[in-house]
Amino acid sequence: ARIPYNVSVYTQYQIGLGGPVSTVIYTKEGVPLTGPQVSICNISLTSATLLWEHVPLSLRQGFILYYTLIYVKNPREDSRLEVNISSALNTFTLLNLEPASTYTISMTASTRIGEGKSGPHLKLKTGASYIISWKHIILVLVILVVIVLCITGICCFQRTKRLGSMLIPQWCCQRIPDPKITRALLQQNHTTPEHFTMIESDPEIIKVEEMIPEIMVQLPLEISKSSNAEDMFRPDSPLL
């Protein structure tokens, strides 16, 4: 009773029949006996592209209005998700999947009567977490290379600077004072700094007088009565 019929219409011309226009009709519709068989076209870390074939005409039991894609993350049966897809499509990409996870995929087809049975189940596993680890390793290596290049550049600059100081005269590397800054300092202090004074004055001459100390000779007060003045000043006379 739910058998599809292929109806063709021909145009009658005077010279004969024209080409047919064909379509499929059902005298009575039902639910599909099975769903499409899904296969994996491409898979990545968080997405998967699926491909399927349409339900054979003998198993449709009516006009397919849409497909339902069902995917469940194992082993959590409560994570069932469904996506309705147009019957004209035969490919779809699942997004926002979890890395290193296993999903069970199946599809159903629906007619005006309702949803039919599920097709064959397919298991897919998203990319493992080691892909993220490789990205982190590459990032760390890039950072290390940048650090090494910076250190090498600093060392080369210091060596070049040292070599230049040896080859270039010393006066070429001295900094010239800014006249504006010097003028501002002079106006602020109102005096000429000592280090800017290049005139040397003659040293002050100090007179020094030499003091000769007075030597006092005290003669004895008592002189022997028996000795006279001549005896005192005689060289060979002893002093009392």
Side-chain angles (χ1 to χ4, degrees):
R2 299 181 180 87
I3 300 174
Y5 292 91
N6 189 5
V7 178
S8 299
V9 178
Y10 294 85
T11 304
Q12 180 67 45
Y13 298 98
Q14 292 181 354
I15 57 176
L17 295 175
V21 176
S22 303
T23 185
V24 177
I25 62 172
Y26 291 90
T27 57
K28 187 177 181 181
E29 292 189 50
V31 297
L33 300 179
T34 185
Q37 184 174 356
V38 186
S39 60
I40 300 175
C41 179
N42 187 22
I43 191 169
S44 65
L45 190 67
T46 58
S47 64
T49 301
L50 306 177
L51 182 68
W52 61 88
E53 297 180 357
H54 294 290
V55 178
L57 183 61
S58 59
L59 301 177
R60 296 178 185 178
Q61 296 197 128
F63 296 102
I64 303 296
L65 300 179
Y66 59 88
Y67 296 114
T68 301
L69 178 63
I70 305 168
Y71 58 104
V72 180
K73 181 183 177 182
N74 297 335
R76 293 172 50 190
E77 297 297 334
D78 57 341
S79 61
R80 175 187 173 101
L81 296 175
E82 297 182 357
V83 180
N84 292 331
I85 304 172
S86 172
S87 60
L89 301 178
N90 66 339
T91 183
F92 186 80
T93 300
L94 288 174
L95 302 176
N96 301 322
L97 302 178
E98 295 184 11
S101 301
T102 303
Y103 291 86
T104 300
I105 308 295
S106 62
M107 291 189 72
T108 60
S110 299
T111 62
R112 293 187 305 170
I113 305 301
E115 184 179 13
K117 297 181 179 181
S118 175
H121 290 73
L122 172 70
K123 289 186 179 294
L124 67 85
K125 187 174 183 180
T126 54
S129 58
Y130 69 85
I131 298 178
I132 301 179
S133 300
W134 277 110
K135 291 182 179 179
H136 291 170
I137 292 174
I138 293 174
L139 180 61
V140 171
L141 291 177
V142 171
I143 295 175
L144 290 178
V145 169
V146 172
I147 294 174
V148 170
L149 291 178
C150 292
I151 296 175
T152 305
I154 293 174
C155 294
C156 292
F157 175 76
Q158 294 293 337
R159 183 173 297 179
T160 304
K161 185 177 180 181
R162 191 180 303 111
L163 182 60
S165 62
M166 295 173 61
L167 299 177
I168 301 175
Q170 189 68 24
W171 56 269
C172 293
C173 301
Q174 294 180 352
R175 295 185 59 185
I176 301 175
D178 191 352
K180 296 182 180 179
I181 299 176
T182 306
R183 187 178 303 170
L185 291 176
L186 292 176
Q187 293 177 357
Q188 181 178 0
N189 297 332
H190 298 285
T191 58
T192 302
E194 295 181 0
H195 59 273
F196 287 121
T197 304
M198 304 301 293
I199 302 176
E200 296 182 358
S201 59
D202 296 334
E204 183 180 357
I205 300 175
I206 302 175
K207 296 182 179 181
V208 179
E209 296 181 357
E210 184 179 0
M211 302 297 294
I212 302 175
E214 296 180 358
I215 302 174
M216 302 291 296
V217 179
Q218 186 176 2
L219 298 177
L221 297 178
E222 295 183 357
I223 304 175
S224 175
K225 295 179 178 180
S226 60
S227 61
N228 53 22
E230 294 178 357
D231 296 336
M232 290 178 58
F233 295 98
R234 290 173 59 183
D236 55 349
S237 61
L239 296 175
L240 297 178

Coordinates of all heavy atoms in Angstrom, one line a residue, residues 84-114:
N84 N 18.2 19.1 12.7 CA 17.4 18.9 11.5 C 18.1 19.4 10.3 O 18.5 20.6 10.2 CB 16.0 19.5 11.7 CG 15.2 18.8 12.8 OD1 15.4 17.6 13.0 ND2 14.3 19.5 13.4
I85 N 18.1 18.6 9.2 CA 18.8 18.9 8.0 C 17.9 18.8 6.8 O 17.1 17.8 6.8 CB 20.1 18.1 7.8 CG1 21.0 18.2 9.0 CG2 20.9 18.5 6.6 CD1 22.2 17.3 9.0
S86 N 18.0 19.7 5.8 CA 17.2 19.6 4.6 C 17.4 18.2 3.9 O 18.5 17.7 3.8 CB 17.4 20.8 3.7 OG 16.8 20.6 2.5
S87 N 16.3 17.7 3.3 CA 16.4 16.5 2.6 C 17.2 16.6 1.3 O 17.7 15.6 0.7 CB 15.0 15.9 2.3 OG 14.3 16.9 1.5
A88 N 17.5 17.9 0.8 CA 18.2 18.1 -0.4 C 19.7 18.0 -0.2 O 20.5 17.9 -1.1 CB 17.9 19.4 -1.0
L89 N 20.2 18.0 1.1 CA 21.6 18.0 1.4 C 22.1 16.5 1.7 O 21.3 15.7 2.1 CB 21.9 18.8 2.6 CG 21.5 20.3 2.5 CD1 21.8 21.0 3.8 CD2 22.3 21.0 1.3
N90 N 23.3 16.3 1.4 CA 23.9 15.0 1.8 C 25.3 15.1 2.5 O 26.0 14.2 2.6 CB 24.1 14.2 0.5 CG 25.1 14.8 -0.4 OD1 25.4 16.0 -0.4 ND2 25.7 13.9 -1.3
T91 N 25.5 16.4 3.1 CA 26.7 16.6 3.9 C 26.4 17.6 4.9 O 25.6 18.5 4.7 CB 27.9 17.0 3.0 OG1 29.1 17.2 3.8 CG2 27.6 18.3 2.3
F92 N 27.1 17.5 6.0 CA 27.0 18.5 7.2 C 28.2 18.4 8.0 O 28.8 17.4 8.2 CB 25.7 18.1 8.0 CG 25.4 19.1 9.0 CD1 24.7 20.3 8.7 CD2 25.7 18.9 10.4 CE1 24.4 21.2 9.7 CE2 25.4 19.8 11.4 CZ 24.7 20.9 11.0
T93 N 28.5 19.6 8.6 CA 29.7 19.7 9.5 C 29.3 20.0 10.9 O 28.5 21.0 11.2 CB 30.6 20.8 9.0 OG1 31.1 20.6 7.7 CG2 31.8 21.0 9.9
L94 N 29.6 19.1 11.8 CA 29.4 19.3 13.3 C 30.5 20.2 13.9 O 31.7 19.9 13.7 CB 29.3 18.0 14.0 CG 28.1 17.1 13.7 CD1 28.3 15.7 14.4 CD2 26.8 17.8 14.2
L95 N 30.1 21.2 14.6 CA 31.0 22.1 15.2 C 30.9 22.1 16.7 O 30.0 21.4 17.3 CB 30.7 23.6 14.8 CG 30.8 23.8 13.2 CD1 30.4 25.3 12.9 CD2 32.2 23.5 12.7
N96 N 31.9 22.7 17.4 CA 32.0 22.8 18.9 C 32.0 21.4 19.6 O 31.4 21.2 20.6 CB 30.8 23.6 19.4 CG 30.7 25.0 18.8 OD1 31.8 25.6 18.6 ND2 29.5 25.5 18.5
L97 N 32.7 20.5 18.9 CA 32.9 19.2 19.6 C 34.1 19.3 20.6 O 34.9 20.2 20.5 CB 33.2 18.1 18.6 CG 32.1 17.9 17.5 CD1 32.6 16.8 16.5 CD2 30.8 17.5 18.1
E98 N 34.1 18.4 21.5 CA 35.2 18.4 22.5 C 36.4 17.6 22.0 O 36.2 16.5 21.4 CB 34.7 17.9 23.9 CG 33.6 18.7 24.5 CD 33.2 18.2 25.9 OE1 33.8 17.2 26.4 OE2 32.1 18.6 26.4
P99 N 37.6 18.1 22.3 CA 38.8 17.3 21.8 C 38.9 16.0 22.5 O 38.5 15.8 23.7 CB 39.9 18.3 22.2 CG 39.3 19.6 22.4 CD 37.9 19.4 22.9
A100 N 39.5 15.1 21.8 CA 39.8 13.7 22.4 C 38.5 13.1 23.0 O 38.6 12.5 24.0 CB 40.9 13.8 23.4
S101 N 37.4 13.2 22.3 CA 36.1 12.6 22.7 C 35.5 11.7 21.6 O 35.8 11.9 20.5 CB 35.1 13.8 23.1 OG 35.7 14.6 24.1
T102 N 34.8 10.8 22.1 CA 34.1 9.8 21.2 C 32.6 10.1 21.1 O 32.0 10.3 22.1 CB 34.3 8.4 21.7 OG1 35.7 8.1 21.8 CG2 33.7 7.4 20.7
Y103 N 32.1 10.1 19.9 CA 30.7 10.4 19.7 C 30.1 9.3 18.8 O 30.8 8.7 18.0 CB 30.5 11.7 18.9 CG 30.9 13.0 19.7 CD1 32.2 13.4 19.8 CD2 29.9 13.7 20.4 CE1 32.5 14.6 20.5 CE2 30.2 14.8 21.1 CZ 31.5 15.2 21.2 OH 31.8 16.3 21.9
T104 N 28.8 9.0 19.1 CA 28.0 8.1 18.3 C 27.1 8.8 17.4 O 26.3 9.6 17.9 CB 27.2 7.1 19.2 OG1 28.1 6.4 20.1 CG2 26.4 6.1 18.4
I105 N 27.2 8.6 16.1 CA 26.4 9.4 15.1 C 25.4 8.4 14.5 O 25.7 7.3 14.1 CB 27.4 9.9 14.0 CG1 28.5 10.7 14.7 CG2 26.6 10.8 13.1 CD1 28.1 11.9 15.5
S106 N 24.2 9.0 14.3 CA 23.2 8.3 13.5 C 22.2 9.3 12.9 O 22.2 10.4 13.3 CB 22.4 7.3 14.4 OG 21.7 8.0 15.4
M107 N 21.4 8.8 11.9 CA 20.5 9.7 11.3 C 19.1 9.0 11.1 O 19.1 7.8 10.9 CB 21.0 10.2 9.9 CG 22.2 11.1 9.9 SD 22.6 11.8 8.3 CE 21.2 13.0 8.1
T108 N 18.1 9.8 11.1 CA 16.7 9.4 10.8 C 16.1 10.2 9.7 O 16.6 11.3 9.4 CB 15.8 9.4 12.0 OG1 15.7 10.8 12.5 CG2 16.4 8.6 13.1
A109 N 15.1 9.7 9.0 CA 14.4 10.5 8.0 C 12.9 10.6 8.4 O 12.4 9.7 9.1 CB 14.5 9.7 6.6
S110 N 12.3 11.7 8.0 CA 10.9 12.0 8.4 C 10.1 12.3 7.2 O 10.5 13.0 6.3 CB 10.9 13.1 9.4 OG 11.6 12.8 10.6
T111 N 8.8 11.8 7.2 CA 7.8 12.1 6.2 C 6.7 12.9 6.9 O 6.8 13.2 8.1 CB 7.3 10.8 5.5 OG1 6.7 10.0 6.6 CG2 8.4 10.1 4.9
R112 N 5.6 13.1 6.2 CA 4.4 13.7 6.8 C 3.8 12.9 7.9 O 3.2 13.4 8.8 CB 3.3 14.0 5.7 CG 3.7 15.0 4.7 CD 2.5 15.3 3.8 NE 2.0 14.1 3.2 CZ 0.8 14.0 2.5 NH1 0.1 15.1 2.4 NH2 0.4 12.9 2.0
I113 N 4.1 11.6 7.8 CA 3.5 10.7 8.9 C 4.3 10.8 10.2 O 3.8 10.7 11.3 CB 3.4 9.3 8.3 CG1 2.6 9.2 7.0 CG2 2.8 8.4 9.4 CD1 1.2 9.8 7.2
G114 N 5.7 10.9 10.0 CA 6.5 11.0 11.2 C 7.9 10.6 10.9 O 8.3 10.4 9.8

